[in-house]
């Protein structure tokens, strides 16, 4: 025994470490390392939970990607439409006192007119409202309205409000030699500016704004001059009315009558666009892009 300890100096430390270490720590059997076995019922429950989580995630992703069935995306056409709130809040042009240019006429009538503060002609054709000495002559600065009522176009407005005053002055000068062009032209321009204000959308109502938007929709989507019945024009006009009703309902939650009308218009637009898809697929996709709508908003079931 003494010789064995001498030959193996580390045997004593090995025996001591073996005695102090628990035997179970070196156990390597499969039964000790195996996971606890689950029943078939627990496995089925866990699979069902995983499936429900996947379905919920798909549902949330589908709802997040759902397009707006009413408004859609902003496009060049939808941005060009007028909103009654922005139209009625736009300021009109300011009214400034007139600064008539002095004339070199030595006529006694012109001199008496200047001394009394008049800036208008003294001919018999002048209106009586400008004959008061206490009234300061006014010139209305040119305003830039958002549009005009009664389907008045920009070309027609330019003809009426810019060119007609000059033509009217020329006619008055032909009729009477007492008419001075420099004095009469501000009067005619003021008349034209007053008519401009009357016909401006800023002095209209919400119905006039809607009619102006309908006119713009027809001009933007018509396929020929005077086209008012093509599917694109019908869908564009319905989009204008849908946005108008949608803005109205946002401010009037209890208006059930218009809420029903909104649903009817949405489904009518869906029917028209489905017909366009069936007959002219290329025109269908172009129309959707211009209206800011997605195919899902037309082809899927709509719940409003």
């Amino acid at each position: 025994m003494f010789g064995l300890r001498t030959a193996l100096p580390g045997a004593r430390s090995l025996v001591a470490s073996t005695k102090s270490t628990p035997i179970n720590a070196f156990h390597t059997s499969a039964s000790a390392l195996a996971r606890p076995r689950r029943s078939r019922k627990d496995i089925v429950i866990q699979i069902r939970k995983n499936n429900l989580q996947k379905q919920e995630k798909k549902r949330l992703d589908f709802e997040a990607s759902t397009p707006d069935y009413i408004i859609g995306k902003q496009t060049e056409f939808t941005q060009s439409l007028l909103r009654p709130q922005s139209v009625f809040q736009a300021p009109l042009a300011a009214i400034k006192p007139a600064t008539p240019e002095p004339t070199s006429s030595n006529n006694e009538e012109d001199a008496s007119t200047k001394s009394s503060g008049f800036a208008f002609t003294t001919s018999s054709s002048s209106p009586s409202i400008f004959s008061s000495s206490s009234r300061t002559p006014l010139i209305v600065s040119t305003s830039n309205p958002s549009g005009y009522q009664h389907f008045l176009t920009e070309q027609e407005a330019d003809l009426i409000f810019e060119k007609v005053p000059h033509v009217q002055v020329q006619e008055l000068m032909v009729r009477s030699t007492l008419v001075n062009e420099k004095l009469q032209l501000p009067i005619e321009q003021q008349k034209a500016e007053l008519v401009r204000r009357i016909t401006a959308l800023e002095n209209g109502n919400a119905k006039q704004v809607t009619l102006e938007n309908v006119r713009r929709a027809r001009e933007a989507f018509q396929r020929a001059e005077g086209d008012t019945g093509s599917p694109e024009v019908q869908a564009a006009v319905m989009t204008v009315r849908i946005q108008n009703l949608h803005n109205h309902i946002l401010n009037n939650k209890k208006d059930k009558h218009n809420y029903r009308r909104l649903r009817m218009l949405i489904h009518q637009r869906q029917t028209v666009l489905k017909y366009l898809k069936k007959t002219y697929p290329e025109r269908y996709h172009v129309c959707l892009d211009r209206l800011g709508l997605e195919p899902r908003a037309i082809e899927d079931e709509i719940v409003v």
Side-chain angles (χ1 to χ4, degrees):
M1 186 67 181
F2 179 77
L4 180 60
R5 291 181 178 178
T6 304
L8 299 175
R12 182 180 297 177
S13 60
L14 179 62
V15 173
S17 62
T18 303
K19 290 182 179 180
S20 61
T21 305
I23 300 176
N24 295 334
F26 296 95
H27 197 282
T28 58
S29 62
S31 60
L33 299 177
R35 295 179 180 178
R37 186 175 182 179
R38 295 186 302 174
S39 64
R40 184 176 181 85
K41 182 178 179 181
D42 295 338
I43 296 175
V44 172
I45 292 175
Q46 186 62 34
I47 293 174
R48 181 173 177 81
K49 287 182 179 180
N50 295 337
N51 292 337
L52 291 176
Q53 291 177 0
K54 292 179 181 179
Q55 292 178 6
E56 183 66 16
K57 183 179 179 181
K58 289 183 179 180
R59 186 185 66 82
L60 295 177
D61 295 341
F62 182 81
E63 291 181 355
S65 62
T66 300
D68 191 351
Y69 297 106
I70 302 176
I71 301 300
K73 298 180 295 185
Q74 291 291 333
T75 61
E76 183 179 357
F77 166 70
T78 56
Q79 291 178 355
S80 66
L81 299 178
L82 301 176
R83 272 69 178 177
Q85 294 81 2
S86 60
V87 170
F88 299 148
Q89 292 176 0
L92 293 175
I95 299 178
K96 300 182 295 184
T99 55
E101 298 180 359
T103 59
S104 60
S105 176
N106 295 325
N107 194 345
E108 295 180 356
E109 295 181 354
D110 293 342
S112 61
T113 301
K114 292 180 183 178
S115 61
S116 60
F118 286 120
F120 307 104
T121 179
T122 58
S123 64
S124 59
S125 62
S126 300
S128 60
I129 59 174
F130 300 119
S131 60
S132 175
S133 60
S134 61
R135 182 181 179 87
T136 303
L138 300 176
I139 294 179
V140 183
S141 61
T142 305
S143 60
N144 296 317
S146 304
Y148 299 96
Q149 307 176 40
H150 314 295
F151 300 101
L152 190 65
T153 61
E154 294 292 339
Q155 293 78 9
E156 295 172 345
D158 181 70
L159 175 64
I160 296 173
F161 306 129
E162 300 297 335
K163 298 180 180 180
V164 167
H166 296 275
V167 176
Q168 184 69 17
V169 171
Q170 296 299 327
E171 292 183 356
L172 293 175
M173 293 178 63
V174 171
R175 295 177 184 177
S176 176
T177 57
L178 299 177
V179 177
N180 190 342
E181 182 178 2
K182 292 184 178 180
L183 297 178
Q184 188 67 25
L185 184 59
I187 300 177
E188 300 299 331
Q189 290 177 344
Q190 183 181 11
K191 294 178 183 178
E193 183 61 25
L194 294 177
V195 177
R196 181 200 295 270
R197 285 176 173 242
I198 293 173
T199 58
L201 284 179
E202 284 77 2
N203 291 325
N205 51 19
K207 184 177 180 180
Q208 295 294 337
V209 176
T210 303
L211 292 176
E212 174 64 19
N213 288 333
V214 168
R215 184 187 66 83
R216 295 186 179 188
R218 288 173 178 170
E219 290 182 354
F221 285 84
Q222 64 182 0
R223 301 184 56 81
E225 187 67 25
D227 178 19
T228 59
S230 61
E232 292 92 336
V233 174
Q234 294 185 43
V237 172
M238 290 179 187
T239 300
V240 170
R241 300 189 183 280
I242 285 170
Q243 293 194 4
N244 183 35
L245 283 177
H246 178 67
N247 295 332
H248 171 75
I249 290 174
L250 289 179
N251 299 325
N252 302 273
K253 301 291 185 180
K254 297 183 179 181
D255 193 350
K256 303 299 181 183
H257 176 75
N258 283 321
Y259 191 79
R260 178 177 178 273
R261 179 59 181 165
L262 176 64
R263 293 199 303 268
M264 293 174 60
L265 281 174
I266 293 173
H267 286 282
Q268 288 177 6
R269 183 179 64 180
Q270 183 188 34
T271 303
V272 171
L273 291 176
K274 283 185 177 179
Y275 168 78
L276 182 62
K277 177 186 177 183
K278 183 174 64 175
T279 53
Y280 306 101
E282 296 180 356
R283 290 165 51 183
Y284 166 75
H285 292 289
V286 173
C287 183
L288 286 188
D289 293 338
R290 297 186 63 185
L291 292 177
L293 301 175
E294 296 184 10
R296 279 182 55 192
I298 304 301
E299 299 166 5
D300 294 348
E301 181 180 1
I302 298 178
V303 180
V304 181

